[in-house]
Amino acid sequence: MVPLSYYLLLSGFLFACGVVGFLIKRNIITIFMSIELMLNGVNLSFVAFAAHWHALAGQVFVFFVMVVAAAEAAVGLAIIIAVYRTRETLNVDQVNLLKL
Amino acid sequence: MNPNLNLWLIPILPLAGAAINGFLGKRSSRRAVTTIALVFSGAAFAMALWVATRFSSLSLPYQEFFAHWIRSGSFTVDFAFYLDQLTLVMLLVVTGVGFLIHIYSVGYMWDDPSYYRFFSYLNLFMFFMLTLVLAGNYLVMFIGWEGVGLASYLLIGFWFTKDSAASAGKKAFIVNRIGDFGFLIALFLFIKHFGSLDFDRVFNSVAPLGAETAGAGLLTTIGILLMVGACGKSAQIPLYVWLPDAMEGPTPVSALIHAATMVTAGVYMVSRSHMIFERAPIALTVVAIIGTLTAFFAATIGIAQTDIKKVLAYSTVSQLGYMFIACGVGAFSAGIFHLMTHAFFKGLLFLAAGSVIHAVGGEQDMRKMGGLKSYIPWTFLTMGIATLAIAGIPPLAGFWSKDEILWKAYGVSPVYWALGVVTAFITSFYMFRLLFMTFFGDYRGAQVDAHGQVSHGHDAHGHGEPHESPMVMLVPLMILALLSLVGGLVGIGNRFEHFLAPVFVSAAGAADLGSTEAVQGGSHSTELLLMGVSVAVALLGWWLAYFLYYKRPELPQRIADALDGFYEMVVHKYYIDELYAAVFVKPLIDGSTRILWQGVDRNIIDAAVNDAGEGAEQVSDEVRHMQSGNIRSYAGWIAGGSAVIIAFMIWMWMEGR
């Protein structure tokens, strides 16, 4: 039996990877993937706790998160394609028309 | 049970007049303004007369309650009026003389551009003065007391574009505040010790108390504090300095407010509080001493003044001193008697002086008058009567009341009497000096041209030769002259005193006054002798003024030269104004400027506000760089902040373990 702390450490590591990627990457696709990484880091901690406490709620919650992530990916990728068509770039620093 | 007299109408009528003229007067014609002002003040007078006719059928004191004003626990103050013999006398004097002066002002102020404003203020004054007189408790009296101060301020500074008038108004207001301070403290003592401000309840609580013969106690303190208030309003030493300056106002104002009515409010208040003063011999002595000194010193200053109104102003201060002598020796009814006759003859003197000033185109310096009796015979006649009255020549009004005071004063201490007689001599002298300088000899003034070029100030009405005033000004003069002639006769056989006796009924009961009664009961010959002395000094003053200012007009200058230093001192009013300026005004101004303004206000209060503003500006100048518009930097802040919170929670968890 793998102890709970291992899962949590892995979960924290994945989340931290996501945060760092979100902060330093400029390509919007990569940023998107970093967000997925963070979500999955959280998902891992949910299922780990669910297994540990023998409670189903954590697993159910993970499904919700996955649904939201899928919806988000669909909308987000559509926006990205629209942005790429008009701006011909995926660099977020250049998508700054709303900036003062 | 008393019928309802609706006393509230008496003060409300002039207030309505003031409101109508104040709000609408600017767009109304002079005729309309005149009508409003005269109708409303005249109605108040008519109402007062009507009250007088019903008076004998009333059970006194008649009280009228309108509404609760302040209620706090067992302490209440009501809007309530109080009518007794004393109130009635004041009521008739204020409305009667006030109405006459309203009529006079129509002629005097006709050419003034702010005609409506003048009458609005004048009516407002009537309202407050009547509130003061009718008040049923000390707080309502205080409304009137402050209100007449306000009206006085407004009217002294009526020609506010003239710097001296504006500052005279401020001076009057501020000096009066010093007196009001004493009055207010006395009111607080009433509340603390008697739990009420109603005349009835205060006097009922005081009545069983004995006279404080052993030393200064509560009643003495209250009495002296009330006297401080009276000193301010009635221009007694040491607070008299505002009254001579108040002559900057229009002459009818000087007549009404600064001679006949408002300045007598202090005498009225002291008389109203006679229950307290009778039980506080020390306070009474203070009143008598202040009165005596004021009467004497103001009279001596009056000798050397050359401005016709200033002479009358010092004369007013001096006569008010007489009234306080009367109060101080416990002869309150004599004080009120003199108050009444003084209102007649001093009001007349001022109005006549206004007529003189009017005649010579705004000149107030008596050295530039002279020989006016042939130009303005009616003014001369009425002013002559007033002069005889104030000098104490029998059988005119001033003789009876002044003699009454001197006689009562003699009963308490011959010192008061002696100084009073000397003052009477000086009074007679300076008044006849005024009369001779103004009306006799040759006209010394410049011929005023048609546009009043020579004239000073706003009293200007230059029309060539000195000319008599219109009838609207002369009729009030004549009525007042008549009153000055016969007004004293009500005092014959102590009838006036008997009329007021129910108010001052306990006068005989107080310990220190028993002696007065004894002396008075004693010898009639003494009274006649004293009367003879006062008439003699009045005639002597007359003769001296006649000799110096009519027979040998060059003599006064030589006497003045001979008495160089002393004369200078008197001309400069004993340098009291300069002394006050050096001792009180300058340190106050310097202290306010250096410490309060530049020190506290600028360096502490302003600095705190400014520094707070600058600090916010600097902090935000740094912080605004956080808002870069770069999404990822925001995300960085969020991540950093979350990390800090998580670290903190972990630390807490570690601590808790």
Side-chain angles (χ1 to χ4, degrees), chain B residues 475-492:
Chain B
V475 168
L477 288 183
M478 291 166 195
I479 297 173
L480 281 173
L482 188 68
L483 287 170
S484 304
L485 274 174
V486 301
L489 300 181
V490 299
I492 292 179

Side-chain angles (χ1 to χ4, degrees), chain A residues 19 22-26 31 92-93 99, chain B residues 628-633 635-637 639:
Chain A
V19 169
F22 184 88
L23 290 180
I24 63 173
K25 285 299 177 185
R26 301 220 159 91
I31 290 173
V92 284
D93 286 349
K99 205 167 145 186
Chain B
S628 57
N630 187 340
I631 304 286
R632 283 175 303 121
S633 81
W637 285 113

Side-chain angles (χ1 to χ4, degrees), chain B residues 566-629:
Chain B
F566 182 71
Y567 179 74
E568 274 298 302
M569 198 165 82
V570 175
V571 167
H572 290 99
K573 309 152 207 161
Y574 300 105
Y575 297 101
I576 296 289
D577 274 328
E578 286 79 359
L579 180 74
Y580 283 0
V583 176
F584 300 112
V585 180
K586 201 170 173 307
L588 258 179
I589 291 178
D590 284 357
S592 309
T593 313
R594 298 227 181 89
I595 299 169
L596 295 178
W597 172 34
Q598 289 168 351
V600 175
D601 199 50
R602 272 202 184 157
N603 288 338
I604 298 178
I605 298 174
D606 284 7
V609 173
N610 290 340
D611 287 355
E614 271 168 31
E617 201 174 293
Q618 280 168 9
V619 169
S620 29
D621 208 39
E622 296 300 318
V623 170
R624 79 189 169 95
H625 293 299
M626 281 171 69
Q627 191 178 1
S628 57

Side-chain angles (χ1 to χ4, degrees), chain B residues 338-459:
Chain B
H338 196 54
L339 186 162
M340 185 182 81
T341 57
H342 176 256
F344 299 153
F345 60 67
K346 186 55 64 64
L348 173 55
L349 279 172
F350 267 110
L351 294 187
S355 179
V356 169
I357 295 165
H358 186 261
V360 295
E363 182 58 63
Q364 299 194 5
D365 193 334
M366 293 191 295
R367 287 170 299 192
K368 295 183 182 152
M369 296 175 185
L372 292 175
K373 73 176 183 320
S374 54
Y375 295 105
I376 45 174
W378 281 107
T379 307
F380 167 64
L381 181 69
T382 51
M383 193 151 189
I385 290 170
T387 305
L388 291 173
I390 192 177
I393 309 288
L396 283 79
F399 164 74
W400 301 101
S401 54
K402 193 184 286 182
D403 204 58
E404 178 91 6
I405 291 174
L406 290 176
W407 164 234
K408 292 282 167 71
Y410 184 79
V412 172
S413 162
V415 178
Y416 300 147
W417 175 82
L419 271 170
V421 166
V422 174
T423 307
F425 165 69
I426 301 172
T427 307
S428 167
F429 173 67
Y430 68 65
M431 283 314 302
F432 281 106
R433 166 178 176 268
L434 185 151
L435 203 67
F436 286 122
M437 280 182 87
T438 311
F439 291 99
F440 290 83
D442 301 317
Y443 185 51
R444 296 180 292 273
Q447 285 293 324
V448 245
D449 67 25
H451 304 288
Q453 294 292 327
V454 184
S455 57
H456 300 265
H458 296 257
D459 269 325

Side-chain angles (χ1 to χ4, degrees), chain B residues 494-508:
Chain B
N494 289 341
R495 259 184 301 161
F496 192 79
E497 194 178 349
H498 288 150
F499 176 68
L500 285 177
V503 182
F504 303 122
V505 64
S506 55

Side-chain angles (χ1 to χ4, degrees), chain B residues 49-382:
Chain B
L49 283 178
W50 178 77
V51 169
T53 59
R54 304 288 302 276
F55 199 68
S56 54
S57 64
L58 297 173
S59 67
L60 295 169
Y62 166 85
Q63 299 200 45
E64 221 170 87
F65 166 86
F66 306 110
H68 291 295
W69 179 11
I70 298 171
R71 266 191 289 189
S72 170
S74 63
F75 173 71
T76 56
V77 180
D78 302 328
F79 288 110
F81 283 167
Y82 186 96
L83 178 74
D84 62 6
Q85 288 86 347
L86 176 60
T87 314
L88 185 73
V89 171
M90 291 300 290
L91 206 55
L92 289 173
V93 168
V94 170
T95 52
V97 176
F99 180 53
L100 288 176
I101 290 171
H102 270 75
I103 298 175
Y104 174 92
S105 307
V106 173
Y108 193 84
M109 301 299 290
W110 190 258
D111 296 322
D112 197 278
S114 294
Y115 186 74
Y116 76 97
R117 192 162 57 90
F118 181 81
F119 278 100
S120 178
Y121 289 168
L122 215 53
N123 274 352
L124 186 71
F125 167 78
M126 294 283 283
F127 163 67
F128 282 123
M129 190 69 203
L130 291 168
T131 310
L132 193 163
V133 168
L134 283 167
N137 58 54
Y138 277 103
L139 206 58
V140 174
M141 189 191 218
F142 194 68
I143 303 177
W145 186 270
E146 290 298 301
V148 291
L150 168 72
S152 158
Y153 163 76
L154 290 172
L155 283 163
I156 295 170
F158 182 72
W159 290 313
F160 52 80
T161 48
K162 199 164 63 167
D163 210 35
S164 55
S167 38
K170 279 185 280 185
K171 184 174 178 181
F173 203 69
I174 291 168
V175 173
N176 265 301
R177 292 287 81 63
I178 300 170
D180 296 346
F181 168 75
F183 192 7
L184 264 182
I185 302 281
L187 297 197
F188 295 149
L189 286 176
F190 279 134
I191 297 171
K192 181 164 189 281
H193 293 279
F194 305 124
S196 178
L197 289 172
D198 297 346
F199 291 144
D200 264 9
R201 290 181 54 190
V202 169
F203 298 151
N204 282 339
S205 329
V206 171
L209 302 177
E212 287 177 351
T213 41
L218 173 66
L219 294 178
T220 310
T221 317
I222 291 178
I224 288 173
L225 286 169
L226 287 177
M227 186 57 198
V228 171
C231 278
K233 191 71 45 190
S234 293
Q236 296 296 292
I237 288 173
L239 300 177
Y240 72 91
V241 288
W242 65 270
L243 186 60
D245 287 27
M247 296 302 125
E248 288 289 341
T251 307
V253 170
S254 312
L256 177 60
I257 301 186
H258 306 120
T261 54
M262 184 191 85
V263 288
T264 61
V267 182
Y268 169 74
M269 186 260 279
V270 170
S271 305
R272 178 57 81 201
S273 317
H274 67 99
M275 297 282 274
I276 291 148
F277 282 95
E278 276 156 5
R279 284 162 181 75
I282 297 174
L284 267 185
T285 311
V286 169
V287 173
I289 289 174
I290 287 177
T292 316
L293 289 179
T294 310
F296 180 69
F297 278 108
T300 57
I301 297 173
I303 299 177
Q305 295 299 308
T306 51
D307 183 318
I308 187 167
K309 283 180 75 182
K310 284 275 165 72
V311 175
L312 294 178
Y314 281 106
S315 163
T316 306
V317 175
S318 170
Q319 296 299 312
L320 289 166
Y322 269 117
M323 297 175 208
F324 279 106
I325 298 175
C327 295
V329 299
F332 297 101
S333 57
I336 297 296
F337 187 27
H338 196 54
L339 186 162
M340 185 182 81
T341 57
H342 176 256
F344 299 153
F345 60 67
K346 186 55 64 64
L348 173 55
L349 279 172
F350 267 110
L351 294 187
S355 179
V356 169
I357 295 165
H358 186 261
V360 295
E363 182 58 63
Q364 299 194 5
D365 193 334
M366 293 191 295
R367 287 170 299 192
K368 295 183 182 152
M369 296 175 185
L372 292 175
K373 73 176 183 320
S374 54
Y375 295 105
I376 45 174
W378 281 107
T379 307
F380 167 64
L381 181 69
T382 51

